[in-house]
Amino acid sequence: MSSLRSLFLQHLAQTSPEPLMLEIEKAEGIYLYATDGKKYIDLISGISVSNIGHTHPAVVEAVKKQADKFMHVMVYGEMIQSPQVKLAQALSATLPEKLNNVYFVNSGSEAIDGAMKLCKRFTGRREIISFYNSYHGSSQGALSLNGNENMKRNFRPLLPGIKHIHFNEVQDLEKISADTAAVFIEPVQGEAGVRVPDSKYMKALEKKCRDKGVLLIADEIQTGFGRTGKFWACEHFNIQPDVLVCAKGMGGGMPLGAFISSRGVMSCLTNNPALGHITTFGGHPVNCAASLATLTYIKESGVMATIQQKEKLFRELLNHKAIKEIRSKGLLMALQLESNSKVKNTIKKALQMGLLTDWFLYSADSIRIAPPLTITEEEIKKTCSILLKSLE
Ligand SMILES: Cc1ncc(COP(=O)(O)O)c(C=O)c1O
């Protein structure tokens, strides 16, 4: 065992029972390079982060340029920092007109927590609704929203006032009432193993929220920044949330999150109390510069126009009797196998052949496919041939 490996086990908090233990030397495009000389295709993008590939030159350049100018200068919201302002403007331009006001944080969970506070403060209501099998993060607030008891049980008490309803079941929308501050939804459930709701359902949810004066919050942390073939997954369903939450792919490999709403809704954080939400590092200028480079690349490179074809190619090539079902939206895909042991076995064999994949938090019998959106058709063919061999 190399000294770095033993030090990793000794000094880093171990939360994974079976850490991958790849010792990374370099990452570029869809590839990870390990110190033992092996090269791996990253089929999961660091869990839906490296949407435009690892160390994209435009992102690296933006990071270097900004680091040369200034890094942290002041806590959030006091000084005019051009990377934040330009990114907020560019994000607003990707969204319906009313979503034009951005609060930057550092991560997905933090953005969810901020959005939870915002909707309570704005509506004066105390109840929040989320979905069974939803995943919104691991902080106390986000964990309270999650719809998986196994991950929560030993961390109680969590936040009160949270109700869960069934995803994609119209009848359950009746539980949304005038007492509800907000409904948090992943437009495509990720950690549940890629569950895509019906458009009709999403429209019914939007209508119910409007009728009851409830804020509709879209958690686009995993689905945003082109992952599903549209810049935001909400676009597939033609719905307009009141608050959109993003992180992960947004930073192009740097840590960044945001909750985005209208100026009207967001302004309630300015009074009673003033500084209704505080962060020291949220919207770090280097990370905002990286994010703007990422957003610009996704918008201008034409990569989004290729995603549907790439999804189709994966679906065509992944024809194997061990695959019971394929669920996907763009390049967020789950291969349903018969068991977790089959999944584990397949992942292990794929890794030996230079392909990194994973399962899902709440869908341990599915294989995760979420490569950088920039993956080429040739690389998809190579990936699928490894996956098919691993399934044998
Ligand atoms: C849909 C969704 N929401 C929230 C989060 C939490 O984000 P973070 O890990 O940055 O706190 C995740 C992370 O996987 C996610 O997939």
Side-chain angles (χ1 to χ4, degrees):
M1 200 179 268
S2 82
S3 67
L4 208 55
R5 290 167 86 80
S6 56
L7 290 170
F8 166 81
L9 291 172
Q10 193 183 346
H11 292 298
L12 267 93
Q14 298 295 317
T15 54
S16 170
E18 295 165 81
L20 278 163
M21 300 286 285
L22 295 184
E23 200 174 312
I24 298 301
E25 184 163 74
K26 191 176 105 169
E28 194 174 53
I30 68 159
Y31 297 102
L32 300 173
Y33 297 84
T35 46
D36 62 5
K38 274 186 89 171
K39 172 178 166 186
Y40 297 88
I41 295 174
D42 180 1
L43 195 54
I44 49 180
S45 307
I47 313 296
S48 300
V49 169
S50 313
N51 285 10
I52 65 169
H54 293 276
T55 58
H56 191 284
V59 176
V60 174
E61 194 195 336
V63 165
K64 286 183 175 166
K65 262 191 169 162
Q66 183 54 39
D68 266 346
K69 289 185 196 158
F70 61 92
M71 293 191 270
H72 179 81
V73 284
M74 181 56 179
V75 298
Y76 180 81
E78 300 292 340
M79 291 188 181
I80 300 165
Q81 303 183 40
S82 69
Q84 290 181 346
V85 178
K86 284 184 192 161
L87 178 59
Q89 184 188 27
L91 283 167
S92 302
T94 66
L95 287 162
E97 214 179 322
K98 69 173 182 179
L99 295 174
N100 56 14
N101 209 248
V102 183
Y103 192 112
F104 288 118
V105 291
N106 306 285
S107 70
S109 302
E110 220 187 303
I112 290 287
D113 278 15
M116 290 172 85
K117 282 173 66 185
L118 177 69
C119 65
K120 285 186 194 166
R121 172 68 185 88
F122 180 73
T123 61
R125 302 175 186 177
R126 294 290 167 260
E127 177 186 272
I128 297 181
I129 290 185
S130 61
F131 290 83
Y132 289 110
N133 285 322
S134 62
Y135 183 75
H136 297 287
S138 200
S139 60
Q140 297 256 340
L143 183 63
S144 306
L145 277 190
N146 289 352
N148 178 283
E149 188 50 29
N150 189 39
M151 300 292 283
K152 304 205 292 191
R153 193 174 294 119
N154 291 332
F155 298 104
R156 294 193 185 283
L158 293 169
L159 285 185
I162 296 188
K163 213 154 85 178
H164 292 95
I165 63 175
H166 290 99
F167 191 69
N168 207 23
E169 284 190 18
V170 176
Q171 271 167 319
D172 244 16
L173 296 178
E174 287 310 312
K175 294 179 181 150
I176 300 170
S177 75
D179 293 329
T180 313
V183 177
F184 281 68
I185 187 164
E186 297 163 83
V188 174
Q189 280 192 331
E191 294 312 309
V194 188
R195 309 286 163 175
V196 184
D198 302 328
S199 284
K200 255 168 107 176
Y201 172 78
M202 294 299 267
K203 289 304 276 182
L205 168 67
E206 183 185 48
K207 182 171 183 316
K208 189 73 173 177
C209 288
R210 299 280 177 274
D211 290 350
K212 300 287 176 189
V214 173
L215 296 179
L216 178 60
I217 322 284
D219 177 347
E220 292 254 19
I221 289 166
Q222 185 149 199
T223 52
F225 271 66
R227 172 58 51 200
T228 68
K230 303 256 186 207
F231 197 83
W232 303 110
C234 281
E235 296 168 36
H236 291 292
F237 308 105
N238 196 22
I239 58 159
Q240 291 197 7
D242 300 292
V243 181
L244 183 138
V245 186
C246 52
K248 281 193 179 278
M250 160 184 209
M254 299 295 274
L256 188 64
F259 51 103
I260 307 174
S261 190
S262 65
R263 239 170 83 80
V265 171
M266 203 71 95
S267 63
C268 69
L269 295 178
T270 320
N271 61 74
N272 193 21
L275 301 173
H277 198 63
I278 300 176
T279 168
T280 296
F281 285 124
H284 192 286
V286 174
N287 304 351
C288 285
S291 179
L292 183 61
T294 306
L295 187 156
T296 307
Y297 180 83
I298 294 174
K299 280 286 180 190
E300 294 180 1
S301 63
V303 68
M304 262 173 27
T306 68
I307 294 174
Q308 213 180 352
Q309 177 56 29
K310 290 174 183 173
E311 176 188 11
K312 196 165 152 248
L313 187 59
F314 267 114
R315 280 183 164 273
E316 275 166 15
L317 295 175
L318 289 172
N319 186 2
H320 192 283
K321 63 181 187 318
I323 301 173
K324 304 296 172 208
E325 182 184 39
I326 301 180
R327 297 179 296 273
S328 66
K329 199 76 185 167
L331 288 178
L332 185 57
M333 195 172 283
L335 306 184
Q336 178 73 51
L337 307 188
E338 67 192 12
S339 65
N340 175 241
S341 62
K342 180 74 181 166
V343 164
K344 275 184 162 171
N345 215 349
T346 306
I347 291 173
K348 202 168 144 195
K349 283 199 211 157
L351 195 66
Q352 283 161 3
M353 287 187 261
L355 179 70
L356 174 64
T357 181
D358 196 9
W359 61 82
F360 297 86
L361 267 178
Y362 312 150
S363 186
D365 49 5
S366 301
I367 288 187
R368 183 192 299 264
I369 296 186
L373 310 176
T374 47
I375 192 170
T376 64
E377 296 204 351
E378 277 316 302
E379 287 165 340
I380 292 176
K381 285 178 193 161
K382 188 167 170 211
T383 295
C384 290
S385 103
I386 298 177
L387 265 177
L388 293 173
K389 278 185 217 147
S390 312
L391 283 163
E392 288 305 326

